[in-house]
Amino acid sequence: MATETKAWWKEAVVYQIYPRSFADSNGDGIGDLNGITAHLDYLEKLGIDVIWLSPVYKSPNDDNGYDISDYRDIMTEFGTMEDFDRMLKAAHEHHIRIVMDLVVNHTSDEHAWFVESRKSKDNPYRDYYIWKEPRDGKEPNNWQSCFSGPAWKFDEATGMYYLHCFSAKQPDLNWENPRVRDEVFDMMTWWCEKGIDGFRMDVISMISKDPAYPDGEVKDGIYGDLNPYVCNGPHVHEYLQEMNRRVLSKYDIMTVGEAAGVTLEEAKKYANNEGTELGMVFHFEHTDGATTAENIIGKWGYRHPRMSAIREILNKWQIGLEGEAWGSLYWDNHDQPRVVSRFGNDAPEWRVLSAKMLATCLHMMKGTPYIYQGEEIGMTNTHFSSIEDCRDIEEINAYRQYVTDHHMIPEEEMLKCFDAVARDNARTPMQWDSSENAGFTTGTPWIAVNPNYKEINTKEALADPDSVFYYYQKLIRLRHENPIIVYGVFRPLMTDCESVYAYEREMDGKKLTVACNWTDEEQDCPLFDELAGTELISNYAKHSEGILQPYEARAVLTKL
Ligand code: GLC
Ligand code: CA
């Protein structure tokens, strides 16, 4: 039986906003804070409880705000601190909490700390970052940055290299330095005092590095893999416990760690029920693991993933966390392709049905669900006809490395990979209506709008009672009304079946049976035949005994 301690963030549904692509209020082609404030009615109507705001801090935008030059100021393109305060207040009036993105594994190279740090070896800020002497006149080791190329950059001023796990404009902070931790914790306290409701912590599993900095395994013939030496490092739990003692425990806030490379066993520590570290973490096993097996190089691939592989991963996490730690649930975010294109079917006849099916499959599970902007109207991947269409530094650098410099992937093949997995798929402008540029901007959008905006947009969705939007609205309402969806124990069903993802939840003498057909064909499913219960939700109005129709999803509540 469920013995979970209650918390508001366990009962909440989170909506992620990528501000650059959400709504532009002043016609410069870039989404902004006033654009968000103007759409709070829409989000309240959807019914979400929390907004996770991707970074809005001052930034030169090498990685769209994940490179921060001032943690206590707002990005010029997004507005001012007054705009932020107004948005926060308005959100609270709409019963929506705001969770900030906290990017503290690295800063921008334009942050004042780094500007100082690179000046001289004895600068007071030198040890805020990770500096190493050259090895045989070259990089200190063979690590590849997550955005291609070496993870080290040579700095003329002092003749040393600094570490950047991401772009060269994102130098890694040195968490071993207690002054760095003081600065970060002070800054977090400052935001908490402002009244924000929590933090999503960017690659927080990477803040403690293997002090030996050993070479990594060379997988693509060029550079070594840094992941084993930067993810879940020796002091990461110690640092998070310190953060918890000094900041988090003083406020009733939600925290979620983006935990690259996290295993189930590690997650139980990060998100332990004693609450000594974080509320929950994001893992990447179902998004990375389910698709990489047949990939070309690294994350670049395009084959269709198998439901049974995804199910095996998600079920393992559902069962493994039970009673020990809280989990998060997501298909989409700003780093992933669109789920309806990736795990569903974005052909016109199946798009709506499969989007609803995937939503059911995820939202009836245990954990806090996250919806990424546009997911609630079934937005799809876009198409890249040339590298000129791409804006993301990850894509641009990978193209340079694998296509231009090393001729390891032909251009057409790489663009096909981008269509399937590029992050820019998630970053095309939010589709509000069928007017020019999807109602996102009156100017020229910073990234092209997905050409399907005339059919897929919020205006259409709001006018159609059968839309994906109203289905999400219902899923959210059901979660708010039925504690079994939040706290019920999860049990897998039909695990031998290749096409139907089924499970049950149980709590207080009630059982919720969920089954989802992941294919465009009818599939056998006997689960509902003998059940005399209440159907909570389905994407079909009529059912047939013994089967699930193409992409059919059903959830039925029964008394035990
Ligand atoms: C995280 C963010 C991603 C960013 C990276 C570096 O993975 O989600 O968007 O590029 O960290 O900050
Ligand atoms: Ca703008």
Side-chain angles (χ1 to χ4, degrees):
M1 271 296 95
T3 50
E4 224 62 72
T5 45
K6 296 197 165 173
W8 65 261
W9 44 268
K10 293 182 180 174
E11 299 171 15
V13 177
V14 184
Y15 185 91
Q16 183 191 352
I17 290 183
Y18 194 69
R20 200 175 187 80
S21 303
F22 190 65
D24 173 21
S25 70
N26 63 351
D28 66 354
I30 298 174
D32 45 50
L33 296 179
N34 290 339
I36 297 171
T37 309
H39 286 92
L40 289 169
D41 287 343
Y42 169 79
L43 296 175
E44 188 175 14
K45 180 165 183 146
L46 180 59
I48 53 107
D49 307 283
V50 178
I51 292 171
W52 149 24
L53 203 57
S54 275
V56 297
Y57 316 91
K58 193 70 92 198
S59 165
N61 283 303
D62 193 49
D63 184 21
N64 291 349
Y66 284 90
D67 49 320
I68 296 167
S69 53
D70 187 346
Y71 290 101
R72 300 182 198 216
D73 203 352
I74 298 294
M75 191 192 298
T76 317
E77 296 87 331
F78 288 178
T80 62
M81 195 56 88
E82 287 70 47
D83 295 334
F84 179 89
D85 292 339
R86 216 174 319 115
M87 180 195 67
L88 181 64
K89 187 161 174 279
H92 287 163
E93 282 161 11
H94 283 76
H95 314 289
I96 294 172
R97 291 168 152 110
I98 301 273
V99 161
M100 303 292 283
D101 218 308
L102 182 78
V103 188
V104 289
N105 172 69
H106 45 268
T107 68
S108 163
D109 66 338
E110 297 180 34
H111 193 289
W113 301 336
F114 191 76
V115 171
E116 284 301 313
S117 184
R118 77 195 320 178
K119 280 184 182 162
S120 68
K121 290 187 183 176
D122 55 9
N123 188 284
Y125 289 89
R126 185 66 169 180
D127 289 338
Y128 272 44
Y129 296 86
I130 299 169
W131 292 97
K132 298 275 177 222
E133 296 289 350
R135 182 178 68 176
D136 308 327
K138 296 206 192 77
E139 286 81 12
N141 68 23
N142 72 355
W143 292 356
Q144 160 155 278
S145 99
C146 300
F147 293 158
S148 305
W152 300 94
K153 183 154 163 91
F154 185 71
D155 206 50
E156 295 287 344
T158 54
M160 288 175 75
Y161 283 87
Y162 65 85
L163 176 70
H164 59 90
C165 290
F166 294 88
S167 105
K169 284 185 68 61
Q170 292 167 300
D172 280 56
L173 281 166
N174 175 19
W175 275 71
E176 287 185 23
N177 181 348
R179 284 182 56 207
V180 166
R181 305 203 295 278
D182 289 347
E183 298 263 18
V184 169
F185 301 156
D186 280 356
M187 177 270 286
M188 293 173 70
T189 303
W190 187 82
W191 281 99
C192 288
E193 289 299 320
K194 218 179 212 315
I196 60 129
D197 304 288
F199 296 105
R200 173 269 185 187
M201 301 185 189
D202 193 64
V203 289
I204 201 68
S205 56
M206 290 168 66
I207 58 177
S208 168
K209 278 76 175 171
D210 183 332
Y213 290 87
D215 278 339
E217 189 193 341
V218 180
K219 289 178 176 164
D220 62 5
I222 312 176
Y223 298 102
D225 180 11
L226 55 65
N227 283 291
Y229 312 107
V230 303
C231 295
N232 312 304
H235 302 292
V236 68
H237 297 289
E238 199 182 298
Y239 297 154
L240 289 176
Q241 284 160 24
E242 183 183 349
M243 178 196 283
N244 186 293
R245 272 196 312 277
R246 292 178 57 185
V247 187
L248 307 179
S249 59
K250 304 205 161 95
Y251 303 91
D252 180 21
I253 55 174
M254 178 188 129
T255 53
V256 51
E258 188 205 21
V262 72
T263 58
L264 175 59
E265 288 317 307
E266 280 293 327
K268 289 183 192 173
K269 298 185 205 157
Y270 286 117
N272 68 73
N273 275 353
E274 283 72 51
T276 59
E277 296 187 21
L278 303 175
M280 59 191 132
V281 294
F282 293 125
H283 71 81
F284 292 92
E285 291 193 348
H286 65 304
T287 51
D288 289 352
T291 48
T292 46
E294 300 172 287
N295 276 6
I296 300 170
I297 290 174
K299 80 173 250 182
W300 307 107
Y302 48 77
R303 271 166 252 255
H304 207 68
R306 272 180 30 245
M307 181 281 284
S308 54
I310 298 167
R311 178 180 59 197
E312 197 177 314
I313 291 163
L314 292 180
N315 286 359
K316 178 188 81 179
W317 281 81
Q318 288 282 305
I319 295 163
L321 293 181
E322 179 64 45
E324 293 193 54
W326 193 252
S328 64
L329 303 169
Y330 75 95
W331 292 133
D332 271 347
N333 62 42
H334 65 294
D335 295 329
Q336 303 293 333
R338 293 284 181 179
V339 70
V340 67
S341 303
R342 187 190 216 178
F343 296 162
N345 189 333
D346 61 12
E349 67 270 42
W350 301 123
R351 188 181 61 80
V352 169
L353 273 173
S354 70
K356 291 176 179 175
M357 181 281 289
L358 289 167
T360 318
C361 195
L362 193 78
H363 281 249
M364 294 291 116
M365 286 189 202
K366 186 162 186 169
T368 299
Y370 291 73
I371 300 167
Y372 178 68
Q373 67 185 41
E375 181 187 335
E376 79 283 10
I377 54 166
M379 276 178 63
T380 68
N381 280 355
T382 189
H383 170 61
F384 302 91
S385 46
S386 97
I387 186 68
E388 304 299 313
D389 294 343
C390 298
R391 295 289 175 275
D392 176 14
I393 183 169
E394 184 187 38
E395 289 149 41
I396 294 168
N397 288 357
Y399 186 93
R400 189 185 308 128
Q401 176 163 314
Y402 295 122
V403 180
T404 315
D405 292 350
H406 291 273
H407 309 290
M408 289 165 74
I409 308 182
E411 186 191 8
E412 320 77 75
E413 194 83 354
M414 195 66 185
L415 291 170
K416 224 167 129 188
C417 293
F418 286 170
D419 280 353
V421 293
R423 307 197 297 182
D424 276 339
N425 281 301
R427 301 175 181 186
T428 63
M430 180 72 183
Q431 292 163 206
W432 294 104
D433 58 39
S434 61
S435 69
E436 204 183 346
N437 293 318
F440 163 73
T441 179
T442 53
T444 308
W446 70 277
I447 185 172
V449 172
N450 190 316
N452 64 20
Y453 70 92
K454 293 218 159 97
E455 297 84 60
I456 306 173
N457 61 64
T458 64
K459 199 168 170 211
E460 288 283 324
L462 290 170
D464 173 7
D466 283 330
S467 67
V468 179
F469 178 91
Y470 289 113
Y471 198 89
Y472 269 87
Q473 185 190 56
K474 186 167 179 187
L475 285 169
I476 297 167
R477 195 179 65 235
L478 286 171
R479 180 167 281 262
H480 290 153
E481 289 170 354
N482 295 276
I484 188 172
I485 300 176
V486 178
Y487 294 112
V489 172
F490 174 97
R491 240 176 270 116
L493 298 169
M494 292 177 66
T495 47
D496 291 336
C497 178
E498 281 295 318
S499 352
V500 175
Y501 193 149
Y503 54 87
E504 60 188 24
R505 308 283 307 278
E506 191 185 321
M507 192 174 124
D508 295 343
K510 284 185 190 157
K511 193 171 81 172
L512 177 66
T513 307
V514 182
C516 300
N517 177 0
W518 280 53
T519 74
D520 59 3
E521 287 164 4
E522 208 174 275
Q523 301 292 344
D524 289 338
C525 176
L527 291 175
F528 300 107
D529 295 349
E530 314 274 292
L531 277 189
T534 320
E535 181 169 283
L536 291 190
I537 195 163
S538 176
N539 54 355
Y540 276 82
K542 292 205 180 75
H543 309 292
S544 304
E545 227 183 89
I547 60 137
L548 288 176
Q549 299 158 90
Y551 295 112
E552 180 171 354
R554 281 182 85 180
V556 173
L557 188 65
T558 44
K559 288 214 177 70
L560 283 179

